[in-house]
Amino acid sequence: MEALVPLLVALSGLPALGAAGWYARGGGPHVRGVALRWALIALALFLGACGLYWARGDQGRTAAVVLALVVAVNALGVSLLLHLRRGDRRR
């Protein structure tokens, strides 16, 4: 039962990994940047799942892992949005 939450977090990273693969099929430097950011979001979620499994219910460790995960995923999401916005200006 302790592995259920980390498993769900890891599974939530699969759509981001799929989006990275989808964008990586396209060409151009802008599209590769988008694919890289999606892959980094998936990596952050997978590492967060490993961290939650490592925490094993310890409140202090779990809070630290969740905080790091929230900061990392949101920072990468903002980076993705800014990258997409920069790409629209180039056209």
Side-chain angles (χ1 to χ4, degrees), residues 5-11 44-54 65 69:
V5 172
L7 179 64
L8 291 176
V9 171
L11 287 176
L45 286 168
F46 293 149
L47 290 176
C50 291
L52 287 173
Y53 186 72
W54 166 76
V65 169
L69 183 60

Side-chain angles (χ1 to χ4, degrees), residues 52-70:
L52 287 173
Y53 186 72
W54 166 76
R56 294 214 186 233
D58 183 324
Q59 287 184 351
R61 285 194 243 174
T62 302
V65 169
V66 167
L67 181 64
L69 183 60
V70 166

Side-chain angles (χ1 to χ4, degrees), residues 5-46:
V5 172
L7 179 64
L8 291 176
V9 171
L11 287 176
S12 71
L14 290 178
L17 192 60
W22 182 267
Y23 277 104
R25 294 180 357 176
H30 180 70
V31 175
R32 285 187 304 216
V34 172
L36 174 67
R37 283 162 177 83
W38 275 115
L40 289 174
I41 289 170
L43 179 64
L45 286 168
F46 293 149

